[in-house]
Amino acid sequence: MRILLVEDDRRVAAALSSALTRRGYQVEHAATVAAALSAAPCDLVLLDLTLPDGDGTEVCRELRRRSSQLGIIAVTARGEERDRVLGLRLGADDYVVKPFSMVELQARIEAVLRRAAHTVPERHLIEAGPVRIDVGGRTVSVAGRDVALTRKEFDILLSLARQPGVAVPRERILLDVWGTTWADRHTVEVHVGSLRGKLGDATLVETVRGVGYRLRGA
């Protein structure tokens, strides 16, 4: 998961970047409005509303205009109610007032990412090569052969099938299936191994070293 950290205090930014990196996130730091608006695409933005070259609320407004699915959490010392309401009205998904604990921030990040994932409409049927998934019926077939999967195996396959041919990070799978990025990553490996066996072709789910897994496309 890619997080854009918009924070002008470099000591705060360094501490947050380090803590988030230890938790498995890829973090890009931006210290100004200009840098924030020119940063690479990400999954979530942690946004300080007080920036040296402008107001963070304008960053919030512009980022929300660009994407309705991007997760945005305002992280700021502005604790008054009118500031919180303004940030939320401009498009922030949540608001955290400094000082805060990493436990609280982690919980809010996970909640926002879950909500963002659920806003993407599900197609009823997904096909990737010989794999056919009935999302509503929660059934799977491979080359016309029905495959019985456990709930976790189905959810992992669905997480990969949303983007066939694209590498899906382990952290994304953990969030989609277990609702957290704190779970033991070996849990994913065990379930993927079982999924491969049931699909009958281990090459359908490819390991992407250092990233995660990919469902082979057509």
Side-chain angles (χ1 to χ4, degrees):
M1 304 301 295
R2 291 180 56 85
I3 291 180
L4 173 62
L5 173 60
V6 185
E7 168 63 63
D8 66 324
D9 187 319
R10 296 195 176 278
R11 288 184 298 177
V12 172
L16 273 176
S17 294
S18 177
L20 291 168
T21 299
R22 288 197 301 272
R23 285 164 170 78
Y25 298 105
Q26 297 179 35
V27 182
E28 179 179 354
H29 174 228
T32 64
V33 169
L37 294 179
S38 62
C42 61
D43 299 293
L44 181 136
V45 178
L46 297 178
L47 176 62
D48 188 344
L49 297 183
T50 305
L51 298 170
D53 61 337
D55 197 320
T57 56
E58 294 307 312
V59 176
C60 184
R61 188 200 306 272
E62 174 60 19
L63 292 177
R64 179 55 70 221
R65 185 191 67 78
R66 295 179 185 179
S67 172
S68 62
Q69 296 174 8
L70 174 66
I72 302 175
I73 300 178
V75 183
T76 180
R78 298 181 184 179
E80 295 186 11
E81 183 180 28
R82 64 174 180 272
D83 292 319
R84 295 197 300 272
V85 171
L86 176 61
L88 293 171
R89 284 180 175 171
L90 289 175
D93 297 289
D94 205 346
Y95 202 108
V96 183
V97 178
K98 300 175 183 178
F100 53 84
S101 70
M102 277 305 302
V103 173
E104 177 189 7
L105 182 60
Q106 175 76 27
R108 291 180 183 274
I109 288 173
E110 291 178 355
V112 168
L113 289 174
R114 280 198 300 272
R115 290 198 296 270
H118 291 160
T119 61
V120 180
E122 289 282 16
R123 290 175 290 165
H124 185 64
L125 292 175
I126 298 177
E127 295 186 2
V131 179
R132 181 182 175 91
I133 303 171
D134 181 335
V135 178
R138 294 183 67 83
T139 60
V140 175
S141 65
V142 178
R145 175 180 60 87
D146 291 339
V147 178
L149 300 178
T150 66
R151 183 170 63 87
K152 295 296 188 188
E153 290 164 355
F154 180 90
D155 289 343
I156 289 172
L157 181 61
L158 181 58
S159 180
L160 299 174
R162 290 190 182 109
Q163 302 180 80
V166 176
V168 180
R170 287 181 179 83
E171 292 77 14
R172 175 78 258 176
I173 297 172
L174 284 169
L175 191 63
D176 286 347
V177 179
W178 282 270
T180 179
T181 58
W182 284 7
D184 186 349
R185 297 185 185 184
H186 292 297
T187 300
V188 178
E189 296 174 6
V190 171
H191 281 81
V192 167
S194 177
L195 173 61
R196 283 171 169 156
K198 291 182 178 180
L199 293 178
D201 181 353
T203 67
L204 287 174
V205 178
E206 303 170 335
T207 299
V208 182
R209 293 189 180 279
V211 179
Y213 299 94
R214 173 175 54 221
L215 181 63
R216 198 178 73 204

